[in-house]
Amino acid sequence: MCLSFLCNKSQCFSRDRVGIQDFVLLDAYTSETAFMDNLRKRFNENLIYTYIGTLLVSVNPYKELGIYTKKQMDIYMGVNFFELPPHIFALADNVYRTMISETNNHFILISGESGAGKTEASKTVLQFYAVCCPSTRLLDNVRDRLLLSNPVLEAFGNAKTLKNDNSSRFGKYMDIQFDHQGAAVGGHILSYLLEKSRVVHQNRGERNFHIFYQLVEGGEDELLRWLGLERNCQKYRYLIQGECAKVSSINDKSDWKTVQKALTIIEFSEKDIEHLFAIIASVLHLGNVHFEASAHGYATLNSSAEVHWLSKVLSTDTSIRFSNNYALEVLSPFTAEHAKYARDALAKAIYGRTFSWLVNKINESLANKDSTRKTVIGLLDIYGFEVFDVNSFEQFCINFCNEKLQQLFIQLTLKSEQEEYEMEGIEWEPVPYFNNKIICDLVEEKHRGIISILDEECLRPGEATDFTFLEKLEEKMCGHPHFVTHKLADPKTRKTLERGDFRLLHYAGEVTYSVVGFLDKNNDLLYRNIKEVRGFTTVATQFKSSLAGLTEILMTKEPWYVRCLKPNHCKQPDHFDDVMVRHQVKYLGLMEHLRVRRAGFAYRRRYEVFLKRYKALCPDTWPHWKGTPAEGVQRLIKHLGYKPDEYKMGRTKIFIRHPRTLFATEDAFEICKHELATRIQAKYKGYRVKGEYQRKREAGIDLFCCKRFFSPSCRFIKGFINRNQPVSMDNSEYLAFVRQSYLTRLKENLPKSVLDKTSWLTPPPIMQEASVLLRKLHTRLIVRKYVRGISAQQKVQLQIKALTSYIFKGRKENYPQSVSLCSLFVYSGEQDINIRVLQLICPEGIKYSVPVIKYDRNGFRPRFRQLIFTQAAAYLVEEAKIKQRVNYSSLKGVSVSDLSDNFLILHVTCEDTKQKGDLVLQCSYLFEALTKICVVTKNHNLIKIVQGSVRFDIQPGKEGFVDFKSSSESMVYRAKNGHLMVVSPHNAMHTTL
């Protein structure tokens, strides 16, 4: 069937009725209108997920859709990413299976504005992994703790806002750690920028953090009495400023029970829980402390909880003055207003530290006790770009975070796209995009950025205010294209700005910030004296540093994205607000991402996947293709009439330039499926009729009585339609046919080798369980045949290879690549050893030798040497001279990094200053050498795999360091700090095995 016919013929398949499942396949991919039309069309049909390549766009439906059941999880487990309709389960499964197969680390960035469904998306991914991962009693405990960390963090870190009843008021990054079998064995959580100001102030229509209301409404009577609390939120100033302590969508009593249960399972002790809620209660009591002005205008404490130390802390400013070498404590009384600031600063500091302690306790519970290296999937649930009527310090930090993530997002997307093209041998066409580095620099540049200027105002002596900060900004930022204030604006723009505002032109659009409160929030009054005595870091600088750390973490992992959208402000189901969604599409960079993904080719698939789906369209490839998948695809597209400019053949994938080419292929496939079903039905019916006829002839039954049997029947078609349902009268005969057909094809295509992991036929759903059992039996059979046929020498080599796997699998980055190489122990032999050296050490029995580069202990100059292992010692040799002998009894261990470099450090017992210290070596045959030394010394635990840095002894009392890190290229140099810096390409392959 030629595609030129189908390209001009309108086909009304389900694909067209519900829009395009992958935006990459939009013909008008540069049109924002076409993008919105497709999004709206799918949303109106309750299809809330759409792809942009592997990026998932999710629109909050604000109603239950029944698409997150265990049955749905089973459907998406182990299925090709694009085989089923878009779903968050498909993305989660693909990330998990890629991690398992490639043994590398990944992260899922979930972003969107408050109320778009980020927190729910994060929980859904966690629940999917809880179901799909291997299960044991120990692993179930880890799974339960991972899942139950969510309600605890939500209670202490989430709150009702104007946009969302369960808004995360902190950023959260969670690493889920998996072992080599794919079991979840631990986790670790990092938190960012908790909105502490919410503890002491809430806007109208908003609440404080959930935990306060849960404690007051749900806490047991005895607990409340012990804490001195009443069961009435109206009694506490910190809980009623938003005038909405009760929220219809929130059940504080029920949530309290959930949190109590979660704390127990996460292994908080009774004493920990008591202390935790005593601190939460103390914050509520602190909020009720109030001050009155004295006759002199100073603050006096007026509270039933009055105590001397509290009065001193909250109503006076304490400073240290030096006179005649004596330190004097000077007390300056606060005004009533100043004392309220101090009270609120103390409450925020207490809650902030409590939240940090809580996260650390959860991490202790989630910690993986096994020291072997694990692969991880990170989940980043971060606050989205925020624009309110009044935007303050919190929104400034949040939007700066989104600027940084957008920068990373574009970099990683461009990088991964370009790398795929290069890897496949396809020419890359550069993509124009907006580089928001100019905005990031505006905020974070050292000495010149907004954060630096803010810090200067916070830390300088004298009377600094929010408005002196604004004046400094106007002085330093004058003329910047992305910054404007009332003073700097043109007359028209000036009308939209207050005198205390500054406006930034972010990548997502303009945001106007009020400087009121910037200094206080960046530099809590509680610490104003502390900073004069010792080092002090402001909130903005801490946040900037933590963002830099987060970026470093993410850059070492493979990225996946979930972009969450709010369809309307009112949280109404079935309502799609075009203006609001269009704005989110812009600031989430979806059109930009789409343009990057469409740079050249709209569609790309591995040859095996493409051939499997469309092979029925060509008589040469159907039903079985005997050649390579690439050859099969070439034959198939030639038959379909693809033009040369419509596709490119990569090394492992076919690249199709235009969506219309793929759609024409899909339309041909739809027609072909119906034709195939008709042919199969006719063949099967003939098979049944013939069998029934034969049976009745043998039984002597009058065929006339069987006339009814020969009438046309739809049972086969009905069985095909119901093939995925439980066995019934409607589908039992069809399923029997499917079983027989699969077993017949399997018999003719059984793998011939243990290493053949790909040719086992994919079973139909009805045969999945049987296929697993049959595959295990067949694997045991060919393993048994293989074991019987190996020689004694091969057996020894396999044992050594197993030892190498035991030492390095899942622990050193380039081990997986080394496994596929054929060489095992490239033994250089005695002929490579100088004759004089050979005469000296030959009596000890030479076991192995290998060329190495030795780095001097002081200057790290490289020297070519030979490393020789005998039965008794390791020798470092320079031509005819033995430079160092290390008895195995004095060998303390061998350190190697977990990255893809080929360095090793031999640690030697060194008690005499005249003795030589540890050896820093570089070896091209690293895995061979390390395995051999373990065999010779009979110590399989000799190797220590480390992260980051290795300390070594230059000589007794003098130490050196080797630092390891990943980058785009390999380098070895002496760093400014005097350490030897070893830089290796990520997942590079330097060694042989």
Side-chain angles (χ1 to χ4, degrees):
M1 184 176 296
C2 183
L3 291 185
S4 58
F5 164 72
L6 285 166
C7 284
N8 298 316
K9 184 174 180 180
S10 175
Q11 299 291 337
C12 189
F13 299 130
S14 60
R15 165 176 57 76
D16 303 298
R17 289 198 298 270
V18 293
I20 306 299
Q21 294 188 157
D22 189 341
F23 281 111
V24 172
L25 298 177
L26 271 178
D27 264 326
Y29 70 93
T30 60
S31 167
E32 195 174 88
T33 301
F35 189 99
M36 292 293 297
D37 287 344
N38 189 60
L39 202 62
R40 187 190 314 103
K41 182 188 291 187
R42 292 180 61 76
F43 177 80
N44 290 339
E45 295 293 328
N46 290 326
L47 298 172
I48 64 170
Y49 293 121
T50 311
Y51 293 137
I52 306 178
T54 56
L55 178 147
L56 182 68
V57 179
S58 170
V59 187
N60 194 337
Y62 293 123
K63 63 181 180 181
E64 287 293 330
L65 296 177
I67 59 174
Y68 304 109
T69 62
K70 172 65 166 62
K71 182 178 180 181
Q72 285 289 110
M73 291 185 187
D74 292 339
I75 290 172
Y76 279 90
M77 268 185 223
V79 178
N80 184 272
F81 187 51
F82 296 100
E83 191 171 322
L84 293 172
H87 199 292
I88 196 166
F89 288 161
L91 182 132
D93 180 72
N94 206 45
V95 176
Y96 177 73
R97 288 190 293 114
T98 305
M99 177 200 69
I100 297 297
S101 62
E102 297 180 3
T103 61
N104 56 358
N105 300 325
H106 298 253
F107 75 90
I108 303 172
L109 171 57
I110 303 172
S111 58
E113 73 171 62
S114 183
K118 301 187 300 296
T119 300
E120 290 304 311
S122 179
K123 288 194 283 191
T124 301
V125 172
L126 267 178
Q127 287 161 355
F128 180 84
Y129 291 145
V131 171
C132 77
C133 294
S135 178
T136 66
R137 187 172 180 180
L138 175 62
L139 297 177
D140 286 348
N141 287 336
V142 173
R143 178 200 64 193
D144 291 343
R145 291 173 195 168
L146 282 168
L147 290 175
L148 288 172
S149 65
N150 259 325
V152 174
L153 290 173
E154 284 183 20
F156 286 84
N158 289 23
K160 187 236 185 280
T161 65
L162 294 175
K163 293 187 175 184
N164 181 7
D165 288 353
N166 187 34
S167 176
S168 297
R169 306 318 299 161
F170 71 106
K172 181 181 72 173
Y173 175 78
M174 171 186 279
D175 264 340
I176 312 166
Q177 300 168 343
F178 299 87
D179 65 13
H180 67 281
Q181 294 179 324
V185 293
H188 187 81
I189 297 167
L190 297 175
S191 64
Y192 300 93
L193 195 68
L194 178 72
E195 190 186 35
K196 293 185 292 185
S197 60
R198 181 168 295 273
V199 174
V200 300
H201 174 75
Q202 308 93 45
N203 294 323
R204 185 179 176 84
E206 297 192 347
R207 295 208 312 176
N208 208 322
F209 293 103
H210 293 322
I211 191 62
F212 293 111
Y213 304 93
Q214 292 172 3
L215 174 59
V216 172
E217 295 290 343
E220 296 75 14
D221 292 339
E222 185 180 345
L223 175 62
L224 293 183
R225 279 195 301 273
W226 180 67
L227 296 174
L229 297 177
E230 298 181 51
R231 198 180 299 284
N232 184 354
C233 292
Q234 300 300 320
K235 297 283 187 179
Y236 303 100
R237 178 181 168 276
Y238 281 164
L239 302 187
I240 58 173
Q241 295 174 65
E243 299 180 11
C244 65
K246 296 281 188 182
V247 182
S248 59
S249 63
I250 298 175
N251 188 331
D252 291 313
K253 289 183 179 179
S254 174
D255 292 342
W256 167 259
K257 293 177 181 177
T258 302
V259 170
Q260 289 287 85
K261 178 183 176 183
L263 289 171
T264 304
I265 292 176
I266 300 175
E267 293 186 329
F268 279 64
S269 68
E270 287 187 17
K271 189 65 71 177
D272 285 338
I273 295 173
E274 282 182 9
H275 290 165
L276 177 61
F277 291 116
I279 292 172
I280 297 302
S282 74
V283 172
L284 291 179
H285 288 305
L286 192 57
N288 285 355
V289 172
H290 62 279
F291 302 88
E292 296 176 354
S294 69
H296 302 286
Y298 300 128
T300 59
L301 187 64
N302 185 348
S303 171
S304 58
E306 182 176 353
V307 290
H308 175 71
W309 70 267
L310 192 59
S311 175
K312 179 181 176 181
V313 167
L314 298 182
S315 60
T316 59
D317 184 9
T318 306
S319 58
I320 305 298
R321 298 287 184 268
F322 293 92
S323 176
N324 297 326
N325 295 325
Y326 288 97
L328 302 175
E329 183 182 67
V330 180
L331 302 180
S332 304
F334 283 162
T335 64
E337 196 62 30
H338 206 163
K340 290 174 185 176
Y341 273 119
R343 174 201 62 200
D344 290 349
L346 178 60
K348 289 188 292 182
I350 290 171
Y351 194 83
R353 291 188 175 217
T354 302
F355 189 80
S356 298
W357 173 86
L358 184 76
V359 172
N360 290 336
K361 287 291 291 184
I362 292 173
N363 282 333
E364 288 176 15
S365 173
L366 296 178
N368 170 36
K369 306 302 187 289
D370 187 350
S371 61
T372 58
R373 190 180 176 198
K374 302 294 181 289
T375 50
V376 304
I377 294 176
L379 279 179
L380 180 57
D381 174 5
I382 204 80
Y383 13 60
F385 199 82
E386 289 190 351
V387 186
F388 296 101
D389 292 335
V390 178
N391 301 284
S392 188
F393 178 75
E394 290 82 10
Q395 281 68 49
F396 171 76
C397 291
I398 286 169
N399 293 342
F400 166 54
C401 172
N402 278 269
E403 285 287 357
K404 293 294 290 182
L405 290 176
Q406 174 69 7
Q407 189 180 40
L408 179 70
F409 172 58
I410 291 295
Q411 285 176 352
L412 291 178
T413 304
L414 283 168
K415 180 174 176 284
S416 63
E417 194 75 4
Q418 185 171 356
E419 283 178 351
E420 181 177 29
Y421 277 57
E422 290 174 351
M423 187 169 59
E424 291 292 329
I426 305 294
E427 185 177 351
W428 167 256
E429 300 174 7
V431 182
Y433 68 96
F434 172 60
N435 187 345
N436 67 333
K437 182 178 185 298
I438 186 173
I439 308 170
C440 294
D441 288 346
L442 171 66
V443 175
E444 67 176 347
E445 191 174 7
K446 199 171 183 181
H447 305 307
R448 294 169 53 86
I450 294 174
I451 290 177
S452 290
I453 296 169
L454 176 61
D455 284 356
E456 285 176 14
E457 283 301 287
C458 285
L459 300 175
R460 75 173 174 86
E463 285 299 318
T465 67
D466 296 321
F467 291 94
T468 61
F469 161 59
L470 182 60
E471 289 171 2
K472 287 286 179 64
L473 287 181
E474 290 171 332
E475 180 185 329
K476 294 285 183 71
M477 305 297 176
C478 181
H480 195 289
H482 291 265
F483 177 89
V484 69
T485 67
H486 184 276
K487 178 181 176 181
L488 301 177
D490 59 65
K492 183 179 178 181
T493 306
R494 191 171 295 152
K495 295 176 182 178
T496 65
L497 284 165
E498 299 292 335
R499 294 188 181 277
D501 292 347
F502 68 90
R503 181 174 294 165
L504 297 185
L505 179 55
H506 290 280
Y507 77 92
E510 293 180 347
V511 182
T512 302
Y513 299 98
S514 169
V515 295
V516 176
F518 260 64
L519 265 66
D520 285 344
K521 291 175 179 178
N522 189 45
N523 178 19
D524 283 343
L525 290 176
L526 182 69
Y527 301 111
R528 193 159 275 176
N529 291 326
I530 298 175
K531 72 186 181 192
E532 297 174 4
V533 181
R534 61 178 178 269
F536 173 72
T537 307
T538 63
V539 173
T541 297
Q542 289 177 32
F543 184 57
K544 185 175 79 170
S545 299
S546 64
L547 270 184
L550 175 63
T551 302
E552 285 185 11
I553 291 172
L554 299 183
M555 287 294 285
T556 63
K557 297 178 172 60
E558 299 298 320
W560 303 77
Y561 305 98
V562 179
R563 293 292 199 237
C564 300
L565 303 176
K566 285 176 67 172
N568 60 77
H569 280 300
C570 312
K571 307 172 191 174
Q572 290 180 351
D574 306 317
H575 175 50
F576 190 92
D577 184 330
D578 274 67
V579 174
M580 180 178 174
V581 175
R582 191 182 296 268
H583 179 63
Q584 293 171 79
V585 167
K586 180 180 179 182
Y587 76 62
L588 287 172
L590 298 185
M591 294 301 297
E592 211 147 37
H593 185 78
L594 175 54
R595 283 196 293 274
V596 170
R597 286 305 310 259
R598 275 296 300 270
F601 297 90
Y603 172 94
R604 70 291 306 267
R605 289 293 179 276
R606 293 188 67 84
Y607 292 131
E608 297 89 337
V609 176
F610 188 86
L611 183 62
K612 180 182 177 182
R613 181 165 182 81
Y614 299 119
K615 64 181 180 179
L617 298 176
C618 174
D620 293 341
T621 55
W622 174 262
H624 303 298
W625 172 253
K626 300 297 184 184
T628 66
E631 292 168 344
V633 170
Q634 191 75 62
R635 185 74 59 87
L636 170 60
I637 61 177
K638 182 179 179 181
H639 176 78
L640 293 173
Y642 278 26
K643 296 176 182 177
D645 64 339
E646 292 181 327
Y647 74 97
K648 290 285 184 184
M649 301 288 284
R651 294 187 176 95
T652 66
K653 297 178 183 178
I654 179 173
F655 289 74
I656 297 177
R657 190 176 298 278
H658 306 297
R660 61 178 179 270
T661 307
L662 178 68
F663 290 157
T665 307
E666 271 292 309
D667 292 344
F669 180 59
E670 289 288 338
I671 294 172
C672 182
K673 279 199 296 189
H674 293 291
E675 293 175 351
L676 276 176
T678 303
R679 292 206 302 267
I680 294 171
Q681 178 193 354
K683 186 174 181 180
Y684 177 69
K685 194 187 294 182
Y687 159 79
R688 276 199 57 205
V689 169
K690 181 179 178 181
E692 187 70 10
Y693 176 81
Q694 187 67 31
R695 186 179 67 78
K696 291 188 179 296
R697 276 192 63 182
E698 292 171 357
I701 299 175
D702 187 351
L703 293 179
F704 180 77
C705 297
C706 302
K707 183 177 180 181
R708 183 181 175 190
F709 177 79
F710 291 98
S711 61
S713 170
C714 292
R715 184 172 295 174
F716 183 84
I717 296 176
K718 199 170 184 180
F720 175 79
I721 294 171
N722 294 286
R723 64 192 183 280
N724 293 325
Q725 303 299 320
V727 178
S728 64
M729 290 291 291
D730 290 335
N731 63 10
S732 59
E733 292 179 357
Y734 176 82
L735 294 178
F737 170 73
V738 169
R739 289 191 195 96
Q740 181 180 351
S741 173
Y742 176 71
L743 292 173
T744 301
R745 288 188 296 114
L746 185 62
K747 179 183 177 183
E748 297 171 356
N749 295 277
L750 288 171
K752 303 294 191 297
S753 164
V754 181
L755 300 178
D756 185 352
K757 305 292 185 183
T758 60
S759 64
W760 187 270
L761 296 182
T762 302
I766 192 67
M767 290 298 290
Q768 283 185 350
E769 188 175 351
S771 173
V772 171
L773 295 173
L774 289 170
R775 191 169 187 173
K776 287 181 179 178
L777 288 171
H778 180 68
T779 301
R780 289 176 63 183
L781 177 64
I782 55 180
V783 167
R784 188 178 181 187
K785 288 181 180 178
Y786 176 78
V787 170
R788 286 182 172 180
I790 64 174
S791 65
Q793 184 180 3
Q794 289 175 317
K795 187 174 181 180
V796 171
Q797 286 210 342
L798 283 174
Q799 289 171 339
I800 294 174
K801 220 167 190 179
L803 174 59
T804 310
S805 176
Y806 165 78
I807 298 170
F808 297 107
K809 187 174 182 181
R811 301 176 69 197
K812 187 156 177 66
E813 194 172 84
N814 56 332
Y815 174 73
Q817 293 92 332
S818 72
V819 172
S820 61
L821 299 175
C822 58
S823 172
L824 183 66
F825 288 112
V826 182
Y827 175 67
S828 58
E830 295 182 4
Q831 66 273 15
D832 297 324
I833 304 174
N834 183 276
I835 187 66
R836 291 181 59 188
V837 174
L838 191 62
Q839 290 173 346
L840 290 171
I841 66 175
C842 193
E844 294 183 12
I846 297 172
K847 296 297 181 183
Y848 179 73
S849 70
V850 65
V852 297
I853 297 174
K854 184 250 185 184
Y855 288 83
D856 288 352
R857 296 174 181 85
N858 289 306
F860 295 123
R861 289 184 297 275
R863 313 286 191 188
F864 288 100
R865 299 286 187 265
Q866 192 169 23
L867 181 64
I868 304 173
F869 297 147
T870 70
Q871 194 68 47
Y875 288 87
L876 194 66
V877 174
E878 179 189 10
E879 296 181 353
K881 187 177 180 182
I882 295 175
K883 302 293 289 185
Q884 189 169 348
R885 182 181 191 272
V886 179
N887 288 322
Y888 294 139
S889 59
S890 65
L891 183 62
K892 295 189 291 185
V894 182
S895 293
V896 295
S897 84
D898 61 339
L899 302 178
S900 58
D901 59 90
N902 48 16
F903 272 71
L904 64 150
I905 296 94
L906 272 62
H907 299 284
V908 182
T909 301
C910 186
E911 298 174 353
D912 186 348
T913 55
K914 295 181 179 179
Q915 286 182 287
K916 294 182 178 180
D918 298 342
L919 290 167
V920 179
L921 307 174
Q922 187 178 9
C923 177
S924 296
Y925 303 101
L926 184 73
F927 293 109
E928 295 178 8
L930 293 175
T931 306
K932 192 63 180 181
I933 197 170
C934 289
V935 172
V936 173
T937 61
K938 298 179 181 178
N939 183 357
H940 296 177
N941 298 311
L942 188 66
I943 311 301
K944 182 182 179 183
I945 298 177
V946 300
Q947 294 180 339
S949 185
V950 175
R951 190 198 70 81
F952 69 92
D953 291 329
I954 297 173
Q955 62 185 51
K958 187 176 181 181
E959 63 182 14
F961 291 88
V962 183
D963 296 336
F964 298 92
K965 72 173 185 178
S966 286
S967 187
S968 58
E969 58 182 285
S970 178
M971 290 184 289
V972 180
Y973 61 93
R974 187 181 184 185
K976 291 181 180 178
N977 60 4
H979 298 186
L980 179 65
M981 177 60 71
V982 178
V983 183
S984 57
H986 186 59
N987 273 339
M989 179 168 61
H990 296 296
T991 56
T992 52
L993 178 63

